[in-house]
């Protein structure tokens, strides 16, 4: 049955949305790992005895390949002359294309283990293994690794023999973003030199181990990533670090060649785990994040021959045109292919979960070795396909195999037989082509089984979301729209419940037979519960239909619903193009003043003019790019505007600062003076943040580290300003008393302006000022419109001051009407503007981390993300407070309008659910996941907003009446 209380509805809604948030990972992004495969390797002698892997963390491809114009010397130079010399004379090279999330952990796993983690794995931590996996290191005889404690432990812990992987790491405290990160790479190079010193002792255990075959050396170089975060990829620190890495690698290569006496048995691979965008961030699928360099040379690696001058070698496009490397063939790979390449060079077992395809063009070996390497690669991928096939065949009730692999001449057995026959006949080219075809079919087959349950699960989830919308809307109609009536349950409710139970039992039996995950039962339980409940409410549905039939103008509700749904669809499109918000602001600026009554326009000409101006001003920000450089001038300008607005509020505060009732005159004066002082203190803190933030950035840049005094000052200002609205006037504050709503909103606006300005690096503080102004004007216009309507209906209350607080709806509270849909959709619009006003909240990478460095520079992804999220959420604090006051001003039951918005936003969620992608560009995949998660969590987010508005606004006095004056 429909829950009797709103808390019951909310509890069901929260559980439903949290459970269904996981559905996309069960449907679209299930873990690719399977177990029980037989390892495969090439039985022939490998071309290299040892492999050296360099990973330059955070290095984008274009920055190392393109010539650099030195503005100081006026010369054009190469940032990596040693590596580029290898590229031209001894190496194969290209671009390695990574996948989302473009973070260090998934990037290293792809390159070293050969598989792409499911997207949800990054939520389980960057530093340790959410799942066990095989890797090149694990298959080696021994691996020595040097570098960051963020990366090295996961491969050491993941090894089947913990003694097989040795790690040499600096401490986590060494990773400080305020200084030049090249010291991290210096540590690696120096530690490697000390390592070679210890290994040079003849007869020592280390010397003996280093002369074995199938050994690997791994050098993780974090400096470039650190400098990219701290100074941006176009900075002298980032570019200089590339030079530093190039020199260090040259030194290391010379040490290897000297130690092994130039025996020609060492293979070298240089790459990166991910790139970096111009704002010093990564994580999403932007091409700057997904394109990384790959340069391989040494034993077993093919040498790229230059074509004649004036000609362009294969593989080049517009991206590589500026590099002056067009004479040398560019051989692009997918990041997981690197693991297969390293495996073939040293002759290891292919990592069990590797899905990479061996880039044969990189190999300089006998044709026989190439063909056998391709066969081992194909067999390893085929092993995964067979395990996946057998698992599905064993569990599915109506199993359908992957058709292309079950054609008479296309079975794996037939294809393997043709490959072996071609190798036996020394038709190596044909064998390699057939191996590549088998790998492609196996990967498609794995993908087929990954998507095997798509149709069923997507149908269930769709029914769940639609059922929730109907379920919650019926509660709203019964509680807030229709007059009180008799029982809502149908006489056949028991029969309907029995049918629902049988439907769930049928699905549960099927899931049990198939060994489906436990979440499948939950996905099915919700739609069965929702639709069973809806079908039980026959009398209520009849009452709704009867109320509609009695309307004199029946087209109006239909038109409102149509417009409402169209606006929801427009908000869906706005997730992909922020300019929709600019167009919406322009329409609001012009159309809303035109739709009000002529009398209202005459009485509120100035108010409507301000509304138009502020809407047009705010519309500018969603036209600006989210990728922006630091601009301290705009920071200061925005902070100055907010400070001036605070001074203006202090000047006019006597008109909305109220003395506590029933106290002596002197005590009342003291209370009013204290309230006015609070506005002044908050304004002063905004001014301090306006100066302190840019000053700290400049001092950090000048000194090369974050000054301790500046850091402590920033933390003190942020904490004090954030706590002020909670300890003064909020329901959480001791001795909190009733305050004028405008005073309360002003103090909230100024209190959160301080941390927002402190964490601002460009135009964000200007947006904060404009956005806050629009919210206040929206509140004022809505209140004026409501009172005009009340006067017209002769329902205007007597002019007075009344206490308004969150309490159960009084008997005098009015019911929801069609006009309230406008207020609901505008609230939803302003929430979305808060999401996208200064960036794309679907990707934290679109928000600059520079401001965080005013508070913390040691690498701490969780604290840094928390500070960044706090800044992003500040506009929501404002809109929640304004909406709380507005709900009371319109004399609605406290939860009604909020629940209406809550119940209808899943129209957007259903859109995003079907827009989730697991193919295409990695930018599209990452954004589709983010969009669905944001929309799916909206119910939880709006509940938090509602509670927050209660905590922030507290008990306020809202003047009501014809003249709307405070007594």
């Amino acid at each position: 049955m429909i829950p009797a209380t709103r808390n019951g509805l909310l509890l069901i809604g929260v559980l439903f949305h949290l459970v269904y948030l996981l559905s996309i990972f069960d449907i679209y992004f299930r873990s690719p790992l399977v177990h029980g495969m037989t390892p495969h390797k090439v039985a022939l002698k490998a071309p290299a005895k040892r492999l050296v892997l360099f990973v330059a963390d955070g290095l984008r491809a274009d920055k190392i390949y393109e010539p650099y114009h030195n503005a100081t010397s006026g010369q054009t130079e190469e940032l990596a002359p040693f590596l580029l010399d290898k590229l031209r004379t001894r190496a194969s090279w290209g671009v390695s294309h990574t996948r989302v999330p473009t973070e260090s952990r998934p990037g290293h796993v792809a390159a070293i283990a050969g598989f792409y983690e499911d997207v949800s794995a990054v939520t389980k931590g960057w530093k340790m293994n959410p799942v066990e996996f095989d890797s090149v290191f694990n298959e080696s005889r021994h691996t020595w690794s040097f570098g960051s404690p963020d990366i090295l432990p996961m491969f050491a812990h993941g090894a089947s023999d913990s003694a097989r992987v040795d790690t040499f790491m600096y401490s986590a405290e060494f990773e400080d973003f305020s200084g030049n990160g090249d010291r991290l790479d210096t540590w690696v190079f120096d530690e490697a030199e000390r390592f070679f010193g210890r290994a040079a002792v003849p007869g020592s255990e280390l010397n003996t181990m280093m002369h074995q075959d199938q050994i690997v050396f791994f050098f993780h170089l974090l400096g470039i990533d650190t400098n990219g975060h701290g100074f941006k990829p176009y900075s002298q620190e980032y570019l200089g670090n590339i030079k530093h890495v190039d020199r260090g690698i040259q030194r290391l290569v010379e040490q290897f060649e000297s130690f092994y006496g130039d025996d020609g048995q060492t293979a070298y691979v240089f790459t990166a785990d991910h790139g970096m965008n111009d704002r010093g961030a990564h994580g999403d699928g932007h091409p700057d994040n997904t394109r990384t360099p790959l340069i391989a040379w040494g034993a077993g690696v093919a040498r790229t021959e230059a074509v004649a001058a004036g000609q362009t070698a294969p593989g080049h496009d517009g991206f590589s045109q500026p590099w002056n490397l067009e004479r040398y063939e560019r051989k692009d790979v997918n990041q997981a292919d690197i693991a297969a390449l390293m495996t073939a060079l040293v002759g290891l077992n292919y990592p069990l979960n590797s899905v990479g395809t061996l880039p044969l063009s990189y190999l300089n070996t006998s044709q026989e070795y190439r063909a056998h390497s391709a066969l081992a690669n194909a067999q390893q991928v085929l092993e995964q396909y067979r395990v996946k096939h057998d698992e599905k065949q064993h569990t599915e009730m109506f199993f359908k195999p992957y058709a292309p692999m079950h054609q008479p001449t296309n079975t794996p057995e037939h294809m393997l037989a043709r490959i072996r026959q071609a190798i036996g006949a020394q038709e190596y080219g044909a064998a390699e082509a057939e191996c590549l075809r088998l790998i492609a079919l196996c990967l498609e087959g794995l993908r087929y089984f990954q998507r095997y349950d798509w149709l069923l699960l997507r149908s269930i989830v769709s029914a769940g979301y639609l059922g929730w919308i109907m379920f919650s809307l019926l509660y709203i109609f019964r509680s807030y729209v229709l007059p009180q009536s008799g029982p809502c349950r149908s006489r056949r409710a028991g029969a309907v419940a029995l049918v629902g139970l049988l439907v769930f039992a049928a699905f549960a039996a099927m899931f049990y037979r198939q060994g489906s995950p436990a979440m499948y039962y939950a996905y099915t339980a919700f739609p069965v519960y929702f639709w069973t409940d809806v079908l039980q409410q026959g009398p209520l549905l009849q009452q709704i239909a009867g109320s509609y039939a009695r309307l004199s103008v029946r087209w109006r509700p239909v038109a409102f619903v149509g417009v409402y749904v169209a606006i929801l669809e427009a908000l869906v499109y706005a997730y992909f193009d922020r300019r929709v918000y600019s167009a919406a602001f322009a329409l609001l600026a012009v159309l809303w003043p035109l739709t009000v009554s002529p009398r209202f326009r005459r009485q509120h000409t100035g108010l409507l003019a301000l509304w138009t101006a502020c809407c047009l001003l705010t519309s500018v920000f969603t036209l600006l790019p989210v990728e922006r450089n630091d601009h301290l001038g705009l920071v200061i300008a925005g902070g100055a505007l907010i400070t001036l607005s605070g001074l203006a509020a202090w000047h006019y505060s006597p008109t909305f600062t109220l003395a506590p009732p029933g106290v002596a005159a002197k005590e009342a004066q003291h209370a009013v003076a204290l309230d006015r002082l609070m506005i002044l203190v908050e304004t002063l803190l905004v001014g301090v943040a306006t100066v302190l933030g840019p000053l700290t950035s400049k001092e950090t840049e000048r000194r090369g580290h974050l000054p301790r005094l500046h850091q402590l000052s920033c933390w003190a200002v942020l904490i004090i300003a954030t706590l002020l609205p909670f300890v003064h006037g909020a329901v959480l504050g001791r001795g909190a008393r009733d305050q004028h709503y405008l005073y309360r909103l002003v103090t909230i606006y100024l209190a959160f302006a301080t941390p927002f300005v402190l964490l601002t690096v460009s135009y964000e503080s200007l947006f904060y000022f404009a956005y806050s102004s629009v919210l206040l004007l929206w509140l004022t216009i809505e209140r004026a419109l409501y009172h005009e309507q009340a006067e017209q209906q002769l329902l205007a209350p007597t002019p007075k001051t009344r206490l308004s607080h969150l309490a159960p709806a009084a008997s005098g509270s009015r019911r929801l009407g069609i006009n309230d849909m406008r207020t609901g959709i505008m609230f939803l619009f302003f929430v979305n503007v808060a999401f996208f006003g200064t960036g794309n909240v679907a990707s934290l990478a679109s928000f600059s981390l520079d401001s965080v460095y005013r508070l913390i520079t040691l690498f701490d992804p969780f604290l840094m993300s928390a500070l960044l999220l706090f800044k992003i959420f500040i506009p929501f604090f404002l809109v929640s407070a304004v909406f709380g006051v507005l709900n009371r001003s319109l004399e609605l039951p406290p939860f009604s309008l909020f629940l209406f918005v809550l119940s209808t936003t899943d129209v957007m969620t259903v859109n995003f659910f079907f827009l989730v992608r697991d193919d295409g560009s990695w930018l599209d995949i990452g954004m589709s996941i983010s969009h669905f998660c944001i929309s799916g969590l909206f119910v939880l987010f709006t509940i938090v907003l509602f509670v927050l508005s209660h905590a922030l606004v507290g008990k306020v006095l809202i003047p009501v009446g014809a003249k709307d004056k405070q007594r």
Side-chain angles (χ1 to χ4, degrees), residues 92 300 302 331 333 341 344 350 357-365 367 369-375 377 428-429 431-433 435-436:
S92 287
K331 307 171 185 177
V333 302
L341 172 63
Y350 278 81
T357 302
L358 176 62
L360 295 169
S361 61
Y362 274 70
L363 294 182
N364 178 27
T365 62
Q367 288 186 317
Y369 189 85
R370 279 173 47 120
H372 278 284
S373 296
L375 174 58
N377 185 197
Y428 300 118
E432 292 172 7
C435 286
L436 294 177

Side-chain angles (χ1 to χ4, degrees), residues 2 154 263 267 329 339 495 655:
I2 297 177
M154 68 181 176
D263 64 354
E329 181 181 1
T655 62

Side-chain angles (χ1 to χ4, degrees), residues 541-621:
L541 294 171
Q542 292 174 3
Q543 187 180 0
I544 294 171
S547 298
Y548 173 73
R550 288 190 295 272
L551 291 176
S552 57
V553 185
R554 297 180 185 176
W555 63 267
R556 193 167 177 236
V558 176
F560 264 93
V561 171
V563 171
Y564 189 88
V565 173
I567 293 173
L568 289 176
E569 293 297 326
L571 290 177
V572 170
Y573 184 75
Y575 275 63
F576 302 94
D577 190 342
R578 295 166 64 242
R579 293 176 298 178
V580 170
Y581 298 113
S582 297
F585 269 120
L587 290 174
L588 285 172
V590 176
L591 294 184
W592 201 17
L594 294 178
T595 58
V596 299
S597 67
R599 178 189 172 200
F600 188 90
R601 282 198 297 272
R602 289 193 302 271
Q603 291 180 343
H604 303 280
T605 303
L607 179 63
L608 294 176
L610 272 176
W611 167 260
T612 299
C614 288
C615 279
L616 294 176
L617 174 62
T618 311
S619 70
V620 173
F621 295 99

